[in-house]
Amino acid sequence: MSHHRHIPTLEEDHITLDELGPRTVRVAGAIGVVGLALAAAMGAARGDGFASFGWSYLLNFAFFLSVSLGAFFFVAIGHVMGVHWNVVARRLAEVVAANLVYLVVLMIPLLLLAGRVFPWATGHTETPAALLAIKAPYLNQTFFLVRWVVYFLIWCGYALWFWKRSLEQDETGAPQLSVRMSRKSGLALLLYALTLTFASYDLLMSLDPAWFSTIFGPYYFAGSVVAFAAALTVITFWLQSRGRLTKVIHTEHLHDYGKLLFAFVFFWAYLAFSQYMLIWYANIPEETAWFLRRQQNGWGWVGLLLLFFNFIVPFLGLLARSVKRHRRGLYFWAVWLLVMHWVDLYWIVMPEFHPETPLPDLLDLLTFVGIGGLYVAGIALRASGHSLVPRRDPRLDDSLGFENA
Amino acid sequence: MDTSAPNLYGILIEFDHPERLVNACRKVRDAGFKRWDAHTPFPIHGMDGAMGIRVTRLPFLILGGGLTGLAAALLMQWWMNAVDYPFLISGKPLFGLPANIPVVFELTVLFAALTTFFGMWGRNGMPHLYHPVFKSERFRRVTADRFFIVLEARDPLFQLSKTQEFAASLGGVAVELLED
């Protein structure tokens, strides 16, 4: 806080992964492959045509997709607003956003299993066949595939473009690159909003083909930003515990991670409540059925879990300035919110598959470990050999010396 | 407190550089003065620390304001809808929590915001339409390129001659007595 406080420089810090990169790729990759192999074996043993496996896979794919989409938002909104504080953390976000490229590969099993998972394709749904027929021009496997190709082309195109320009600036230090990234990010955010909205409809909302909620896209978006802010906190602490970025990312930046978490926890609750309240108030059967399913057979407890542990408790927990500036405090809430984001998606996905019980399946855990392992390996692979900070960004000095008022 | 000069408001010290002002503030802080202030044309990083100003306690007040708004909103809606004028709307309960949340949210925010605004006024002694420093010709440059410290006469440590000496030692370009 003092006027003569020490402002860190890149030279006094360790800003590359070095041996940590390949090791993480090996370990996380191995865990991922083993996890997915076990999950696939267990899924095959179920004898349900991989339906259970497919549902668990979908849930965890949606989880890791949301982390990368949150990172995409973090990068693009930073450019469009000309943000200073986040520059030291932007490279980490760029890596996580560019991980969308590997999520294309991880999407393939889901696309192969689409006909056995999505109720509009299997017909295992309360939705009348006549209604499914009306919706078929949108909800069919071919168009589903086409849409996902479009989503990923847009996401990966921008994420890789931002990643490459940022790396180029590491070499040249050209300030024009910042201007170019800033110019690109406006349209990027617009397309992001549209694609994320429709992706959330396709991946999650269509699990009940009859149900619709116009706020569903923002709901998934809010959860995505919480998930990424939490993931960024965890990644930062993990790197710092291994001697990376220990000086360049300091309390002032962590404080802003905390603010981002806090704001989007509230935003999530705001949207979750808006969605619930309007449907509750209007009381139209075709809308309430979705919530009814989430209030029966013990699922109501999961909903209350979300109300208290994904909103009220972390809201109060992150309210104080001192918590956001306290390393253990912030780390605790980041891990907490990552877990609760998973519970949120579980509450969205699984009542459509097993409405009779809210209890999770071992397959949920195995596919989480499987996809998660490969996801982390992808992050480590991309980050290896590059600076973990955009080291010649013209705003870097402002970011290093950043101070909260 | 020095009673030898009853009309004296304090001593004004002028600086021509923010760095010198911040250093002087540290000296005033370390000397133990409590009733004093610094004036600058623009915000200076690290001033709070240099002046020994504690972190504001306003947030606690704001939390109280927000909770009051929350309680007031619930009470108001319960009394209006369920007690004073019970009116059944589309079969909803007369006091149903989901329907009340929007107003609860708005009043929580409103009360918290008003508490922030007026709490800040209160803690800073605003509105403050007159201040003795306005009598000083020198002080006019505070909005352009000069920096000032005012040591108030009501400070327990204030003793005219000794404090004048102390003021002169702070590295300013001018020292002036301020009448109330």
Side-chain angles (χ1 to χ4, degrees), chain A residues 5-342:
Chain A
R5 112 196 142 82
H6 174 71
I7 293 174
T9 58
L10 295 185
E11 287 69 36
E12 60 186 285
D13 209 336
H14 193 166
I15 57 164
T16 45
L17 279 180
D18 298 329
E19 82 291 348
L20 215 50
R23 197 199 303 157
T24 309
V25 174
R26 275 197 306 276
V27 174
I31 291 174
V33 169
V34 171
L36 271 190
L38 283 175
M42 196 169 169
R46 289 286 166 88
D48 59 1
F50 281 97
S52 313
F53 172 83
W55 279 85
S56 298
Y57 194 93
L58 184 154
L59 164 66
N60 289 300
F61 178 80
F63 178 85
F64 287 100
L65 178 67
S66 70
V67 176
S68 277
L69 288 176
F72 186 110
F73 173 74
F74 186 86
V75 173
I77 198 83
H79 284 307
V80 89
M81 309 285 284
V83 175
H84 291 226
W85 77 266
N86 81 357
V87 173
V88 290
R90 205 189 67 221
R91 180 58 51 79
L92 301 178
E94 285 163 352
V95 174
V96 177
N99 221 34
L100 282 160
V101 175
Y102 300 119
L103 282 168
V104 176
V105 182
L106 286 169
M107 178 97 199
I108 292 170
L110 193 58
L111 290 170
L112 292 175
L113 289 171
R116 299 168 185 213
V117 172
F118 289 96
W120 43 264
T122 61
H124 297 311
T125 169
E126 292 169 15
T127 310
L131 187 55
L132 281 183
I134 293 171
K135 296 198 176 206
Y138 184 85
L139 289 179
N140 65 72
Q141 288 193 60
T142 315
F143 192 30
F144 182 83
L145 176 67
V146 170
R147 288 196 302 272
W148 279 94
V149 170
V150 172
Y151 304 153
F152 271 115
L153 275 177
I154 291 172
W155 295 338
C156 295
Y158 275 114
L160 284 178
W161 188 85
F162 282 127
W163 163 253
K164 289 198 176 126
R165 293 296 80 71
S166 190
L167 285 184
E168 191 183 330
Q169 197 171 44
D170 271 6
E171 300 308 318
T172 65
Q176 298 92 311
L177 285 167
S178 292
V179 178
R180 281 178 66 197
M181 287 192 274
S182 178
R183 289 214 181 112
K184 269 270 203 291
S185 52
L187 184 62
L189 278 172
L190 187 68
L191 292 173
Y192 168 82
L194 286 170
T195 47
L196 180 141
T197 301
F198 280 92
S200 74
Y201 291 174
D202 290 351
L203 197 61
L204 302 168
M205 200 169 89
S206 76
L207 294 174
D208 177 352
W211 189 67
F212 50 89
S213 163
T214 47
I215 210 169
F216 197 81
Y219 180 93
Y220 184 63
F221 162 71
S224 301
V225 180
V226 172
F228 172 68
L232 179 64
T233 309
V234 172
I235 291 170
T236 302
F237 282 130
W238 184 83
L239 287 170
Q240 292 190 335
S241 71
R242 277 150 189 82
R244 310 303 199 276
L245 307 180
T246 52
K247 299 199 176 65
V248 298
I249 298 184
H250 49 71
T251 310
E252 302 298 328
H253 304 117
L254 298 182
H255 187 175
D256 272 13
Y257 286 10
K259 286 189 227 169
L260 201 62
L261 269 179
F262 178 72
F264 276 86
V265 161
F266 196 88
F267 185 54
W268 174 86
Y270 187 94
L271 296 172
F273 176 74
S274 301
Q275 176 170 280
Y276 175 76
M277 205 262 299
L278 289 180
I279 291 174
W280 174 81
Y281 217 105
N283 209 8
I284 303 168
E286 64 194 56
E287 291 179 353
T288 50
W290 194 84
F291 277 108
L292 190 62
R293 216 168 294 129
R294 283 157 183 77
Q295 284 171 12
Q296 291 169 333
N297 304 327
W299 278 103
W301 293 106
V302 185
L304 287 174
L305 196 73
L306 286 174
L307 170 63
F308 284 95
F309 294 147
N310 202 22
F311 170 50
I312 296 175
V313 173
F315 174 81
L316 295 173
L318 279 164
L319 189 58
R321 177 186 168 99
S322 54
V323 175
K324 294 188 275 261
R325 297 177 72 89
H326 185 271
R327 294 182 63 86
R328 279 170 192 276
L330 187 64
Y331 189 63
F332 173 81
W333 288 116
V335 174
W336 173 295
L337 286 168
L338 270 179
V339 173
M340 286 313 298
H341 176 58
W342 189 88

Side-chain angles (χ1 to χ4, degrees), chain A residues 1-4 266 270 273 276-277 280-283 316 319 321 403-405, chain B residues 19 22-23 26 44-46 55 63 89-90 92-93 96 98-99 101-102 105:
Chain A
M1 292 293 278
S2 96
H3 193 61
H4 292 289
F266 196 88
Y270 187 94
F273 176 74
Y276 175 76
M277 205 262 299
W280 174 81
Y281 217 105
N283 209 8
L316 295 173
L319 189 58
R321 177 186 168 99
E403 219 176 326
N404 282 287
Chain B
E19 195 75 24
V22 172
N23 288 333
R26 290 207 187 88
I44 296 175
H45 260 310
V55 174
L63 181 64
I89 302 163
S90 68
K92 295 291 183 293
I101 294 293
F105 173 73

